[in-house]
Amino acid sequence: MASSDTMVASSATAEEEHATLRRVAVSSFLGNFIEWFDYASYSYFATVIALVFFPASNPTVALMETFAVFALSFLMRPVGAFFWGHMGDKKGRKWALATSILLMTGATFCIGLLPTFATVGLLAPALLLLLRMVQSFSASGEYAGAATFLAEYAPANHRGLYCSLVPASTATGLLVGSTLATLMFVSFGHDSAFVTEWGWRIPFLLAGPLGIITHYIRTRVSDSPVYQEMQDKLEAKGETDDTPIKLLFTKYWKPLLVSFGACMLNAVGFYAVLTYLPNYLQDTIGYDAGASSLITTICLVAYIAFIFLSGRVSDRFGRKKMLIIASIGFIVFTVPAFMLMGSQNFWIILVVELVMCLLLTINDGTLSSYLSETFPTEVRYSGFAVSFNFANAIFGGSASFISIALIEATGNAIAPAWYMVAISVIALIAMCLTHDNSRKKLTDIQ
C-alpha cells in the first residue's frame, strides 16, 4: 500500500514538473516572439516607417535615418543587460521576466499610437527613438532570461533542444511579421494610404494584449530549481548574493570576453540574414519586393525547423563543435552568396538564403544553451545578458545601417559580405578558446 502511495505521489510530482516546464516554455516562447515580432515589423515596414516619421525629400536618407533609430535604440541594451542581469541573479529569473515583459510590450504598444512627421514634425522621430530605447532596455533581459530559465528547468540531456525554443520563437516572430507585411503589401500596395496611415501600426498594437497574457503565465510559475538551490545554500550559510555584476567582472571576465566574441557572429548574422537581406534585395539589387518577401517567408519557415534540429544535434555532439562549424561556414560561403544573389534569379536567391539560414541556425540554435552553460548559477543571467546584449548593441542593431553605409561608401554591392566574414573570423577564434560544458549539470559549473 505504501509503495502504491509512493508511486502515485511520484507520478503526481512528475506531472506537476512537466506542467511547470510547459508553462516556462510557453512564456519563454511568447516573450521572445513579441520582441522579435516588433523587430520584424520595424524592419519589414522600414520603408513605410521612413515615409511616416521622416522627411520624404530623399528616400535613401529617410531609410538610413529609420535604421539609425533602430541602431541607436540598441545603445540601451547594455544598460538593460546590467540591470536585468543583476536583478535576475539577485531577485530571481521569475521577477525579472515578469517585470520586463510589461515594460517591453507597453513601449511597443505606444509606438503604434505615435503621431506622424506630417502632424508634429521632428517630435515624431524623437518619440519613436524614445520608445524604441525603452523597448530595447526592457527587451535586453528577455532573451537571456528566457533561455536561462529554460536551461535551468530543462532535463540535462535535452537542454540544447529546449533552449532552441528561444531562438525558434524569435524566428517565428520574424515569420509572422514578414507574412503580415507581405499580405498588406500584396493586398493594398506598398505605399497605399491604408498601409502608411494604419496598417503599419497593427503589429505594434498587438503587443499590448500579448504582453498581458505572457505576464500572467510568468507569475504562475516558481523560480527555477537550480536558482532556488543556490539561494537555499546561501541562506544556510547566512550569506546573500548582492553583487552578481561585480562578481561577473572580477571572477568571470575571461568567459565573458569569449562569450562576447561568440555572440558577435550571431548578432551580425541574425540581423543581416533575416532582416537586412529583404531590404538589400529590393533597394540595392532592385529585386521585386513581392518575390523578396516570399523568399523571406519560405526561409523563415525552414529556419524554425533548422533551429530545433540544431538544438537536438548540439545535445549529441556538443555546443563548441556546432559553433565552430557555423563560423567556418560563414567565412567560406558569405561572399559567394552575395555574388549569387546578384543574379536576380528567384530559385538561386532562394537556395542561397536557405543555405545562409542553415548556417545561422547552427549558430543560433546552439548559442542559448552554450551561454547558459558557460556561467555558474550566481552570475548566469548576468553573464548571458551582458555578453549577448553588448554584442547586439555594438554589432547587431547597427548591422543594417553599416551594410548600407558600406555600399554607399565603396560602391560595391557585396561590401556587407566582407564585413560578415571579418566578424566570423573573430567568432571562430573565440570558439577555439572556449570550453564545452554541454554534458555538465548546471550546478557543477564553476
Side-chain angles (χ1 to χ4, degrees):
M1 186 68 177
S3 177
S4 176
D5 291 342
T6 301
M7 290 177 63
V8 170
S10 177
S11 176
T13 300
E15 179 61 30
E16 178 58 30
E17 289 177 353
H18 182 72
T20 301
L21 179 56
R22 186 166 59 246
R23 287 194 293 270
V24 169
V26 170
S27 67
S28 297
F29 185 93
L30 281 175
N32 280 280
F33 169 83
I34 297 166
E35 177 186 352
W36 294 95
F37 178 51
D38 162 62
Y39 284 136
S41 300
Y42 192 93
S43 295
Y44 297 136
F45 284 99
T47 53
V48 178
I49 291 173
L51 291 173
V52 172
F53 287 100
F54 297 95
S57 55
N58 189 325
T60 300
V61 172
L63 184 62
M64 289 186 70
E65 289 172 335
T66 301
F67 281 121
V69 167
F70 187 80
L72 285 172
S73 69
F74 272 68
L75 294 176
M76 292 303 295
R77 282 201 168 247
V79 179
F82 282 122
F83 178 80
W84 297 112
H86 175 80
M87 298 306 290
D89 284 327
K90 182 180 179 180
K91 294 193 68 171
R93 292 40 165 143
K94 173 184 173 179
W95 182 91
L97 288 168
T99 306
S100 65
I101 192 68
L102 289 180
L103 283 175
M104 182 180 76
T105 54
T108 304
F109 180 82
C110 288
I111 288 175
L113 302 175
L114 285 178
T116 66
F117 181 85
T119 305
V120 296
L122 292 175
L123 182 61
L127 289 173
L128 176 64
L129 177 59
L130 175 64
L131 286 174
R132 286 214 62 84
M133 284 188 163
V134 173
Q135 198 272 352
S136 190
F137 167 80
S138 51
S140 60
E142 184 62 41
Y143 191 100
T148 298
F149 210 30
L150 263 176
E152 292 181 344
Y153 261 107
N157 59 330
H158 295 304
R159 193 181 298 136
L161 178 61
Y162 273 96
C163 284
S164 67
L165 187 67
V166 177
S169 66
T170 69
T172 304
L174 291 175
L175 173 61
V176 176
S178 170
T179 302
L180 181 60
T182 301
L183 290 174
M184 281 196 193
F185 293 155
V186 170
S187 302
F188 302 101
H190 192 272
D191 55 356
S192 67
F194 172 78
V195 173
T196 56
E197 291 177 11
W198 288 106
W200 70 270
R201 299 178 186 273
I202 293 174
F204 297 100
L205 295 175
L206 287 173
L210 288 174
I212 293 172
I213 293 170
T214 306
H215 174 76
Y216 173 76
I217 297 173
R218 286 178 174 174
T219 57
R220 289 173 57 84
V221 297
S222 302
D223 237 317
S224 74
V226 174
Y227 180 80
Q228 290 183 31
E229 180 181 334
M230 180 197 76
Q231 291 297 104
D232 291 341
K233 288 180 179 178
L234 288 174
E235 289 178 10
K237 296 178 181 177
E239 300 175 357
T240 57
D241 186 19
D242 291 330
T243 57
I245 287 291
K246 180 180 179 181
L247 181 63
L248 176 68
F249 280 92
T250 55
K251 188 175 179 181
Y252 300 103
W253 62 271
K254 287 183 178 179
L256 184 64
L257 284 177
V258 171
S259 296
F260 174 79
C263 289
M264 285 172 58
L265 175 57
N266 181 264
V268 174
F270 189 89
Y271 289 98
V273 173
L274 297 181
T275 64
Y276 170 66
L277 279 186
N279 288 291
Y280 173 81
L281 289 171
Q282 296 170 45
D283 300 327
T284 303
I285 296 179
Y287 193 60
D288 178 71
S292 174
S293 294
L294 177 59
I295 288 173
T296 301
T297 301
I298 294 171
C299 287
L300 284 169
V301 173
Y303 187 88
I304 295 169
F306 290 156
I307 280 284
F308 289 115
L309 178 63
S310 175
R312 186 69 188 91
V313 172
S314 76
D315 280 326
R316 181 174 180 181
F317 296 102
R319 325 299 179 208
K320 182 175 180 176
K321 290 178 182 177
M322 298 288 284
L323 293 170
I324 286 176
I325 289 170
S327 299
I328 294 173
F330 275 114
I331 291 170
V332 172
F333 186 70
T334 302
V335 172
F338 272 71
M339 290 179 174
L340 289 169
M341 281 188 286
S343 67
Q344 297 203 22
N345 180 285
F346 177 88
W347 296 107
I348 291 176
I349 294 174
L350 176 60
V351 171
V352 165
E353 287 206 31
L354 282 172
V355 174
M356 294 283 280
C357 280
L358 176 60
L359 290 173
L360 183 57
T361 56
I362 294 173
N363 174 281
D364 202 18
T366 307
L367 187 68
S368 57
S369 51
Y370 163 76
L371 292 173
S372 298
E373 295 163 347
T374 299
F375 303 96
T377 306
E378 59 264 31
V379 295
R380 181 167 294 123
Y381 201 141
S382 301
F384 194 138
V386 171
S387 58
F388 184 80
N389 284 289
F390 263 80
N392 275 275
I394 299 171
F395 298 100
S398 63
S400 296
F401 182 81
I402 289 175
S403 296
I404 295 172
L406 284 172
I407 293 172
E408 288 288 315
T410 64
N412 187 348
I414 66 167
W418 291 108
Y419 175 62
M420 196 163 177
V421 168
I423 296 295
S424 300
V425 170
I426 296 172
L428 176 61
I429 294 171
M431 290 319 305
C432 289
L433 296 174
T434 196
H435 297 289
D436 196 327
N437 295 325
S438 303
R439 293 171 177 82
K440 284 186 177 181
K441 292 182 179 180
L442 294 183
T443 51
D444 293 336
I445 296 173
Q446 301 297 326

